[in-house]
Amino acid sequence: MRRDLLSLVLCLPFYAHAQSLVVCSEASPEGFDIAQYTAATTADASAETVYERLVQFAPGSTRLVPALAERWEISDDGLRYTFELRRGVQFHQTPWFKPSRDFNADDVLWSFQRQLDKQHPWHALSPRGFPYFEAMSFGELIDKVEKLDDYRVRFTLKHPEAPFLADLAMGFTSLYSAEYAGQLLAAGTPDKLNSQPIGTGPFVFQRYAKDAQVRFTAHPTYWAGKPEIDKLVLAITPDPNTRLQQLKAGVCQIALHPRPTDITALRQEPGLKVLELDSLLTAYVALNTRHQPLDDVRVRQAINLAFDRQAYLRAQYGEGNASLAVAPYPATLPGFDQGQQPWPLDPARARQLLSDAGHAQGLKLSIWTRPGGGPTNPNPGIGAQMLQADLAAIGIQSEIRVFEWGELIKRAKNGEHDLVFMGWAGDNGDPDNFLTPNLSCAAAESGDNQAGWCHKEFDLLVREARQLTQPERRAALYREALAIFHEQAPWIPLAHPKQFAVLSQDVEGFILNPMGSNNFARVRRVR
């Protein structure tokens, strides 16, 4: 049986329920212990369903609002953040865990200390480490996390950090049950934290059928009010065409990330509605500077000069559905240099640079991509073939290799690739969120900087900008950093796509998130 038909069959029992919601999603979650991962599909299946954080973003915006903290105070010097925790918040009850108490300060301490303290009994139990925590240099930022009483916690920083509060709304700062963790450790089954998650969020995890679907039920005692959807299914459907077929057949009610080139036709489809949002998304190709000859800036510049990105933009996104990328983040964020021009299409200059670098006779590289398609790479096969053809025109022979999304991320983190198509959704509306996790020296060390690029001057500028609160001074430092990025060319910046979703007419309350993740807590179906 084909996998897409298997997904349909598995979804039918949930779909039959009047208050069910089936979402056709583009990829499998890497796991459910969100602190170990960075992919948006993993966040949808964990951070946006099972877990919550001290603060959160208001739906459809980057505005911070209370979540598990009702209020907070920041000291005048920007070093101390004191949070008053929400009372009466209940953890999920499941066949594998029955909580004996409500959420409190002990859970906040456990959630941060296991990432922060190398002596913590859970620190070494994460086989993937804590990539976001490490890439964001939180270990060098946070001096201590203290429990003032059962419902007050204080973070003390070693230096001011402008985006710190917004960082606390990101998935990697999700709050876990210390009681559940203690139970797992005592039973010798800590791996279940990643397969049987427990949180305070709007949905309770039921089970995961690998590469097929994730099932949830509504949290009946959710502090913000029980969701109207009783049962939620994420049906894993990598192919965008199959997602749309299942939506039209009534198998799912939301199809995420349709191909932008299909949007015009979809707007004419009866019984469907299309949501659109200018999002904080970046599509790029990372050039692995840890591999020769990509460690030579002339080779990286030649590759940028060889690729016809305007043709790529038209083929992937159609008319008006994306803008050409010049920098790692969109022009709407501070520090973007409006005068910076993208690398022009100039094969002759590219060939000369290759010759200057000692590769007049050409060279061989690999191009890595994924199957299916998502918001930053709607048609991976076509994109990789276009890059392959343009590189061949300047004497670079390349082999295209296709990996399932989770495998692609794992192998890219290990630095096995030469060129890899990637995308990024900004998690907090701050420029730093595009630069530090993807291009810093700390991220190169952790492997989450797929270019493996560590430029000391760039790194210092970004670090300094993070510690400032004056917007104009931060923006000036980012402009300097982006000039270095452009000249050093560790990426081929591709596009800043718009975000789309297609819904059945009976779905209401679903709001696209500019950070690219999807939350279904306030979704309802009307008849």
Side-chain angles (χ1 to χ4, degrees):
M1 182 181 289
R2 287 179 54 193
R3 198 202 57 76
D4 56 342
L5 292 179
L6 177 62
S7 293
L8 186 152
V9 172
L10 289 171
C11 286
L12 286 177
F14 267 47
Y15 176 68
H17 194 286
Q19 286 302 317
S20 299
L21 180 72
V22 181
V23 180
C24 283
S25 180
E26 82 278 15
S28 301
E30 304 154 280
F32 298 91
D33 179 7
I34 185 60
Q36 297 190 48
Y37 306 109
T38 60
T41 50
T42 303
D44 284 359
S46 56
E48 297 295 334
T49 46
V50 176
Y51 297 114
E52 296 179 288
R53 291 147 293 284
L54 291 169
V55 295
Q56 62 189 4
F57 296 109
S61 79
T62 58
R63 180 172 58 88
L64 288 169
V65 296
L68 294 184
E70 288 188 304
R71 62 187 66 86
W72 54 87
E73 294 180 357
I74 306 172
S75 63
D76 292 342
D77 59 7
L79 295 178
R80 291 178 301 283
Y81 290 70
T82 304
F83 294 89
E84 182 80 24
L85 304 182
R86 192 176 299 276
R87 296 169 187 261
V89 174
Q90 297 182 21
F91 282 102
H92 301 156
Q93 291 199 31
T94 68
W96 57 88
F97 179 65
K98 300 292 188 291
S100 66
R101 62 167 177 79
D102 291 347
F103 162 79
N104 66 27
D106 292 332
D107 304 305
V108 179
L109 262 63
W110 186 92
S111 301
F112 281 89
Q113 291 292 3
R114 77 148 172 159
Q115 300 187 71
L116 181 65
D117 181 4
K118 293 181 179 180
Q119 304 306 313
H120 192 278
W122 276 83
H123 185 82
L125 296 178
S126 171
R128 296 163 185 82
F130 304 102
Y132 231 135
F133 193 92
E134 294 159 7
M136 299 285 284
S137 298
F138 260 41
E140 288 73 51
L141 170 64
I142 298 175
D143 182 39
K144 56 185 175 180
V145 185
E146 301 172 276
K147 172 183 175 180
L148 304 182
D149 58 42
D150 281 350
Y151 290 97
R152 286 191 306 148
V153 294
R154 176 174 294 158
F155 291 76
T156 301
L157 308 185
K158 296 176 183 177
H159 56 75
E161 184 90 347
F164 180 68
L165 192 62
D167 290 344
L168 294 183
M170 292 165 56
F172 79 101
T173 69
S174 292
L175 301 176
Y176 295 69
S177 165
E179 182 184 14
Y180 180 50
Q183 173 183 302
L184 294 179
L185 196 62
T189 57
D191 56 305
K192 289 186 177 179
L193 193 72
N194 196 29
S195 61
Q196 294 182 332
I198 293 290
T200 62
F203 292 99
V204 181
F205 174 85
Q206 280 201 318
R207 71 184 185 89
Y208 171 42
K210 184 171 172 56
D211 297 331
Q213 62 177 223
V214 192
R215 295 187 177 195
F216 305 88
T217 56
H219 185 182
T221 56
Y222 183 47
W223 63 267
K226 177 184 173 293
E228 292 192 40
I229 296 299
D230 296 313
K231 298 178 185 292
L232 170 67
V233 177
L234 303 182
I236 299 157
T237 318
D239 181 66
N241 291 329
T242 305
R243 292 200 289 274
L244 292 178
Q245 290 167 10
Q246 293 195 353
L247 177 68
K248 293 175 184 179
V251 176
C252 60
Q253 293 77 52
I254 298 178
L256 298 175
H257 312 309
R259 287 193 175 121
T261 50
D262 293 335
I263 291 301
T264 300
L266 287 169
R267 293 191 193 280
Q268 310 306 315
E269 286 274 356
L272 301 181
K273 50 187 176 182
V274 177
L275 301 186
E276 173 183 333
L277 183 68
D278 287 321
S279 297
L280 299 174
L281 300 177
T282 294
Y284 65 94
V285 177
L287 312 183
N288 190 353
T289 63
R290 293 161 290 195
H291 286 185
Q292 294 181 344
L294 296 172
D295 57 340
D296 190 322
V297 66
R298 294 169 295 185
V299 174
R300 302 196 299 270
Q301 291 175 348
I303 290 171
N304 270 272
L305 289 163
F307 192 37
D308 188 345
R309 280 174 287 186
Q310 291 286 4
Y312 175 87
L313 208 68
R314 291 191 296 271
Q316 289 281 29
Y317 304 102
E319 188 66 34
N321 294 327
S323 59
L324 189 66
V326 179
Y329 57 76
T332 52
L333 295 184
F336 184 91
D337 186 351
Q338 299 292 342
Q340 182 67 67
Q341 296 299 309
W343 288 96
L345 178 62
D346 193 340
R349 185 180 166 199
R351 285 190 291 270
Q352 184 60 55
L353 282 170
L354 285 181
S355 179
D356 293 346
H359 302 286
Q361 304 306 311
L363 53 96
K364 294 183 178 181
L365 297 171
S366 64
I367 298 173
W368 288 24
T369 192
R370 59 183 286 185
T376 57
N377 196 354
N379 199 326
I382 287 178
Q385 291 165 20
M386 293 178 76
L387 178 57
Q388 183 184 49
D390 285 350
L391 293 183
I394 64 168
I396 297 178
Q397 303 305 309
S398 55
E399 174 194 12
I400 296 173
R401 301 189 65 187
V402 180
F403 295 93
E404 181 274 327
W405 181 232
E407 186 71 11
L408 181 74
I409 293 173
K410 182 176 74 174
R411 287 174 173 261
K413 181 171 180 173
N414 292 336
E416 300 173 28
H417 60 288
D418 289 328
L419 280 62
V420 60
F421 278 83
M422 279 287 169
W424 185 258
D427 293 285
N428 62 10
D430 193 279
D432 180 73
N433 186 252
F434 287 85
L435 304 181
T436 293
N438 294 308
L439 292 160
S440 67
C441 293
E445 185 175 345
S446 72
D448 292 285
N449 173 345
Q450 294 98 3
W453 181 66
C454 175
H455 191 283
K456 299 299 183 184
E457 184 180 354
F458 174 92
D459 215 54
L460 286 171
L461 288 166
V462 172
R463 281 175 176 265
E464 185 179 351
R466 280 206 309 269
Q467 297 178 27
L468 297 175
T469 56
Q470 303 91 333
E472 297 81 7
R473 290 183 62 194
R474 290 189 78 202
L477 292 174
Y478 286 136
R479 280 191 290 273
E480 289 185 54
L482 294 185
I484 293 171
F485 165 86
H486 179 76
E487 190 273 333
Q488 286 289 309
W491 289 2
I492 307 173
L494 297 175
H496 301 302
K498 290 184 177 180
Q499 190 177 347
F500 297 96
V502 190
L503 286 64
S504 300
Q505 286 286 359
D506 68 343
V507 174
E508 294 185 352
F510 178 63
I511 300 174
L512 286 174
N513 178 353
M515 277 78 75
S517 56
N518 298 285
N519 187 288
F520 307 100
R522 302 274 73 90
V523 177
R524 60 190 177 277
R525 295 181 64 188
V526 295
R527 298 295 182 183

